[in-house]
Amino acid sequence: MRLKKFSLILISALLLCFVLFNQTFGQVSNIVSAVRIGDAKEKMPLSISAELFAGENISGINVVYRPFGETEFKKMEMMIAGNTASVILPAAVVQPPYLEYYLSISLRNGSMQTYPSDIDKGVSPLQVAVSALSSKDREIIILSPNDGETSSLSETLISISFIRAPDKIDIPKTKIYLNDQDVSALELIAGDLIMISGDNLAGKVPLGAKSLKIEVYDKSGNLYHTLTRSFQMVSEEVALAVASRFKMNGNINGETRNENFNSAGTMYSNISADFNGSYDQWTFNGYAYLTSEEKNNLQPYNRFSASVQAGDWLQLKVGDSYPRFPNLIMDGKRVRGFSGTLNFGVFNFQTAYGEVTRDVEGTIIQKYSAGNVPLGSNIIKINDINTPYASVDLGTFSRQIFSARPSFGRGENFQFGLSYLHSKDDPGSIKYGAKPQENITVGTDLMFALDDQNILFTSQAAISVLNKDISGGSLTDAQIDSVFGPNGYFDVDPADVKQIRDIIGKFITVNQNLGPWNPQEFSSLAAEAALSLNYFGNNLHASYIYRGNDYQSFGQSFLRTDVKGINFVDRIRLADNKLFISFGYENLQDNLQKTKPTTTTFQTLSTSVSYFPRMNFPNVTVGFNRYENSNGLSLADSSRNRNALNTINDVTSRFLIQLSYDFNYHVKHSASLSFTTSDRSDESIANLDSKFNSGSFTLNSFWNQQLTSLIGLVYSSSSIAAIPFDYVTLTAGARYKLLHNKLLLSATLSPSFGDFKRQVFEFTADYNLLSNFNLVFQARIYRIPDASTNSIVGLSARLSI
Amino acid sequence: MRAKIILMLLVLLVSLTFASDRNLPGGDETPVAQVKKIIKNVEFRDRTESEWLPAKVSTPLYDGGQVKTDAKSVAVILFTDGSGLLRVRENSILNVYAEIKNRKMNKNTYIDRGSVSFDVKKQEDEEFKFTTPTAVASIRGTSGLFDVVDNGESTMILETGSVELETKTGKKVSLTAGYTASFDRQGNANVVPSSEEDKKKLAQGKSLTTKKVIIKTKFGDVEVEYFPDENK
């Protein structure tokens, strides 16, 4: 067996020599130093956080992601707090075998960056393998404690059931650890049940927060599965207080840090506080984040909110929130105001009202007299007799939004909803701005399910109306009389036009800037329908989308429009969930309203095979994607056809392999290895042919209760438009606990070599000064040889109440 | 002499076997349920013919086991296949039956009298049944409360999911979330939307809040933990 283990390690090492590696860090960027991603498990929310430097240059960050088998990327705004931007992707999009994502960064100078860079030129997005729900999690069940449970010593019960475990499991060999203290000797075994009662722990394990770790072994002595859970053992008095009807807790964090970037030093400070309380079915939450980065000439950086929730039936929130309506209407947009839901089952109501954009005043660049005013999109009329015009750096209007959705049905087997959204810029909110806008969107959605949602049908449709400039207000009677009528431009009775204006004007400003002008072509219609079938180990999902080129909802900034087509994904589970085969095909087309010279077809073919063995072999995912975009033109026809210069004809093929393996060799190790290669052939006039290879290897080793280490290697080799760019990043780091686990020290060194040269050193000391008070010192140094040395040094404090 | 010693040892061994603490798990038989939490006085027994013993946290319940709660007492029972939990409210008697076969467990609980609040996970191809003197409920994945009064009449208040019910006369009733079904002794069923009182009962059925009184005596402090009056 040892030989077998050694062989596997040797194979991994050999692969290391030949294959290129990748994890989420080590990409080239002068904005993002590292991206950390949580444990990606099927249908579990996934956290993504980006460590930033040069934060003063950033105005916003979005994570752009797409699940397996889809062409369309979706966006979510990341919350920036201190030098970290974070977001939690909703559980619904976290699906095996993997998820692709990149970061879209808006800089304060108006430009955009991506991480990894050059995504638009064919560089592969990052991938995170999403593990299917392990059948082992269903085989071995922690009956007690529940995750996060608080109990007194006498009420503590650790109970593990092996009723569903295979026969090869050696139940008595199971190891149970509490905060790395082996308590296996206290186990009592009854058939397929292992338990430790609190009485047995008395005097042997101190009270406090406990991390429960259970290691399950097979009859050959190999580690079969590891389960973890967190809970708290407290005194009888505290347990009673916890069990009382009113509970509360909170945290206060304060941070100050100094960033030295290209010899410019900037000091940042922020403080955040959160509070959670509950009384019976009522829960209360409060959150505030105040930062020195808050500026009047920028969108808000501060965040605050307070919410109350009563069971499943009531939720109210004031302050900053991200209400989620059907995604065609509103999703992922921050609203500063009020949002709430009432769920009565048969009838439900959801609403949101508040500001989505804060007014930011523009600035005058140059004033002009009426005689010499030039043309330009930033030329506006100002209140000045001698120079009534000016070119300005345009400001941003304050934008309010109101959305409401009544719905019928609980959503388990049926739900029908109607949505309404109205959003309007306040033209008087700033002096120097142009073209305030107004938007209305109405929609409907329907879901019904049969057989415990094994058959699930969902659909939604919405139409939008947009006024692109409401600065002049609605048309006046005189304006209508001058344009309509027998002597006007349109031979339509002005009275009819006025009547229509008065009716529509109750909802939106009516003037010549109101659109769409071609509603009969469904230009402002968006609709989609999807059918999911879940039978015989197959999860089949087929959908159709249609989004007209003029569809726009101010509650949803990230929707791709002017596209229609089908998407088909099948995920097949085989061999008792050990083998996972996925297949996806998508065919989309643009130019729905014939607003472009040609129609482009976007085709995506995605396949992958994942193998999740239960022991003695790494988890493996192998995937292949092919993206083909074509508008039917060819550069070869450019002599005969002028449009040929607009040729879109590119094919990208991408192959990836990912391996992960937990094994014991003297101590426990967790290794991952991945490799991605993509090749883009671009037959357009830009000729952005590209090749991209990247790979990574990481090895986490758990030496003892105090020491863990990390070794990593990243290799990247790319060629865009025949310009090569190759680099290697090594990472070595360790975490060490000392002073009775009160002090945690961690340090990481990451030098990069090749076309990208950089040395990064990070050091963190986290000291648990009091039981509820931590002080954290963090230092990060980035050295670019022959160029600059930048640093971030910060001190933060965390108090739990 | 030697024979006497062997006989004495055998008697001792047999006595020890029968005298062992049944609160302590052990042996090859797998419990079908386990006591997770106790408030005040809860008793259990392995089979109906055996004597009642005080239950404690971790007490295993085997096929045919019973749990009995006194006034102001509650027992929280976990099924060992992780399929859910039952809160046996005060003055109740619950019988637990289960069959483990091919890593699957079919469960049936019989409520003699009293109230049982339940929170059961979705069942794939296993059975989870509640039986009362007047009805049988087949559960897939749901939460609610089953109440049996002394004359055998029973009421089921469903909070989530759906349940197939069968009266003792064979009449089948489908119950969905937000509705209450009541069964009389003749086997007649009546389904109505859950009233505010029903919803209050549901909330009380889930409550595990206790109060503790410390009585100071000259012999030392006496702690009394009790379940507050549900009707207040």
Side-chain angles (χ1 to χ4, degrees), chain A residues 184-190 193-197 200, chain B residues 23-26 58:
Chain A
S184 311
L186 306 175
E187 292 174 1
L188 291 170
I189 301 175
L193 200 67
I194 287 182
M195 65 192 87
I196 299 177
S197 70
N200 295 336
Chain B
N23 251 320
L24 289 176
S58 84

Side-chain angles (χ1 to χ4, degrees), chain A residues 344-552:
Chain A
F344 296 121
V346 176
F347 174 74
N348 317 291
F349 185 73
Q350 180 185 9
T351 189
Y353 175 73
E355 184 184 76
V356 289
T357 311
R358 179 163 75 183
D359 53 285
V360 176
E361 187 57 272
T363 49
I364 292 177
I365 301 169
Q366 188 176 349
K367 294 181 180 178
Y368 299 99
S369 63
N372 67 351
V373 59
L375 290 173
S377 58
N378 67 335
I379 304 295
I380 63 167
K381 200 166 182 183
I382 61 171
N383 190 17
D384 188 321
I385 296 172
N386 297 322
T387 53
Y389 296 93
S391 63
V392 296
D393 190 0
L394 292 170
T396 307
F397 293 100
S398 163
R399 176 173 289 176
Q400 301 284 325
I401 208 162
F402 168 74
S403 187
R405 177 178 175 263
S407 65
F408 306 89
R410 205 171 273 275
E412 289 177 359
N413 298 314
F414 170 81
Q415 192 167 70
F416 171 68
L418 297 164
S419 299
Y420 171 79
L421 181 142
H422 176 240
S423 183
K424 186 179 181 181
D425 289 340
D426 178 3
S429 58
I430 56 172
K431 283 198 289 186
Y432 307 124
K435 297 188 176 176
Q437 300 186 334
E438 190 174 4
N439 170 239
I440 283 180
T441 308
V442 292
T444 178
D445 57 278
L446 170 73
M447 73 80 69
F448 65 83
L450 299 168
D451 191 20
D452 277 339
Q453 296 203 346
N454 284 319
I455 301 173
L456 175 65
F457 175 81
T458 56
S459 67
Q460 56 174 319
I463 54 170
S464 68
V465 179
L466 175 68
N467 192 318
K468 293 180 178 173
D469 188 355
I470 59 170
S471 54
S474 281
L475 293 172
T476 62
D477 288 353
Q479 286 171 323
I480 291 172
D481 290 336
S482 67
V483 175
F484 298 95
N487 300 321
Y489 294 102
F490 303 99
D491 189 10
V492 178
D493 186 352
D496 291 343
V497 176
K498 290 172 192 170
Q499 191 179 3
I500 292 168
R501 177 203 60 188
D502 292 342
I503 293 169
I504 299 175
K506 291 175 182 170
F507 301 96
I508 191 168
T509 306
V510 181
N511 60 27
Q512 66 277 22
N513 301 307
L514 187 66
W517 285 101
N518 53 344
Q520 74 283 2
E521 294 178 14
F522 304 118
S523 59
S524 68
L525 171 72
E528 55 192 58
L531 178 67
S532 296
L533 302 172
N534 189 13
Y535 286 104
F536 313 114
N538 271 42
N539 189 316
L540 187 69
H541 180 89
S543 62
Y544 174 80
I545 64 167
Y546 179 97
R547 292 179 201 147
N549 71 318
D550 273 338
Y551 179 80
Q552 187 169 6

Side-chain angles (χ1 to χ4, degrees), chain A residues 218-364:
Chain A
D218 65 13
K219 286 176 178 164
S220 305
N222 297 311
L223 180 65
Y224 177 76
H225 193 38
T226 302
L227 301 96
T228 57
R229 191 158 282 189
S230 299
F231 70 104
Q232 289 207 53
M233 282 193 333
V234 296
S235 64
E236 300 287 337
E237 291 76 18
V238 174
L240 271 177
V242 169
S244 73
R245 292 191 168 193
F246 186 75
K247 302 167 191 168
M248 59 171 281
N249 63 69
N251 294 287
I252 299 172
N253 291 282
E255 181 197 20
T256 182
R257 69 181 195 279
N258 183 65
E259 289 191 12
N260 275 307
F261 188 71
N262 290 344
S263 32
T266 314
M267 199 76 185
Y268 296 98
S269 298
N270 65 66
I271 185 166
S272 67
D274 64 81
F275 164 81
N276 305 295
S278 65
Y279 182 81
D280 280 355
Q281 61 164 334
W282 296 85
T283 57
F284 313 90
N285 296 286
Y287 176 73
Y289 172 77
L290 304 172
T291 172
S292 58
E293 293 167 84
E294 176 79 8
K295 302 278 189 307
N296 283 337
N297 61 342
L298 299 170
Q299 291 302 313
Y301 271 65
N302 289 345
R303 294 285 187 270
F304 57 87
S305 66
S307 67
V308 57
Q309 185 169 345
D312 295 331
W313 66 273
L314 172 71
Q315 190 172 38
L316 300 173
K317 196 164 191 176
V318 293
D320 293 306
S321 66
Y322 295 81
R324 300 192 73 183
F325 287 73
N327 75 308
L328 291 177
I329 305 290
M330 187 171 187
D331 193 5
K333 194 87 175 172
R334 182 186 61 84
V335 177
R336 176 163 289 179
F338 163 85
S339 64
T341 55
L342 273 173
N343 294 317
F344 296 121
V346 176
F347 174 74
N348 317 291
F349 185 73
Q350 180 185 9
T351 189
Y353 175 73
E355 184 184 76
V356 289
T357 311
R358 179 163 75 183
D359 53 285
V360 176
E361 187 57 272
T363 49
I364 292 177

Side-chain angles (χ1 to χ4, degrees), chain A residues 15-77:
Chain A
L15 277 169
L16 178 62
C17 298
F18 293 107
V19 181
L20 320 165
F21 305 93
N22 156 40
Q23 219 210 5
T24 50
F25 48 80
Q27 303 286 342
V28 177
S29 172
N30 56 358
I31 297 292
V32 177
S33 67
V35 173
R36 303 185 201 287
I37 193 151
D39 193 12
K41 286 197 168 178
E42 182 178 6
K43 291 185 180 170
M44 300 284 281
L46 178 63
S47 64
I48 298 176
S49 63
E51 298 295 325
L52 311 173
F53 52 93
E56 75 279 6
N57 296 328
I58 303 168
S59 63
I61 302 186
N62 294 305
V63 61
V64 188
Y65 64 93
R66 66 179 170 197
F68 170 86
E70 291 185 16
T71 307
E72 183 182 2
F73 280 98
K74 293 171 181 161
K75 285 186 183 179
M76 270 187 83
E77 182 183 339

Side-chain angles (χ1 to χ4, degrees), chain A residues 180-218:
Chain A
D180 297 325
Q181 179 183 347
D182 189 348
V183 293
S184 311
L186 306 175
E187 292 174 1
L188 291 170
I189 301 175
D192 293 336
L193 200 67
I194 287 182
M195 65 192 87
I196 299 177
S197 70
D199 294 343
N200 295 336
L201 295 169
K204 301 179 182 81
V205 175
L207 299 178
K210 298 292 165 213
S211 174
L212 169 68
K213 185 170 75 175
I214 298 153
E215 290 182 352
V216 180
Y217 292 84
D218 65 13

Side-chain angles (χ1 to χ4, degrees), chain A residues 141 143-145 149 154-155 157 159 161 163-167 188-193 195 197 240 243 245 410 412 452, chain B residues 25-31 34-37 57-58 78-82 100 103 105 122 126 140 161 177 209-210 212:
Chain A
I141 307 159
L143 297 174
S144 176
E149 182 177 315
S154 64
E155 288 192 330
L157 172 65
S159 181
S161 169
I163 283 177
R164 301 190 194 283
D167 295 336
L188 291 170
I189 301 175
D192 293 336
L193 200 67
M195 65 192 87
S197 70
L240 271 177
R245 292 191 168 193
R410 205 171 273 275
E412 289 177 359
D452 277 339
Chain B
D28 293 336
E29 192 181 353
T30 300
Q34 189 174 24
V35 176
K36 158 82 175 169
K37 185 179 174 72
V57 171
S58 84
L78 294 173
F79 279 92
T80 53
D81 64 346
I100 303 171
R103 296 180 212 157
M105 193 158 103
K122 189 177 172 185
E126 292 156 285
R140 296 202 70 181
T209 305
T210 57
K212 189 179 252 187

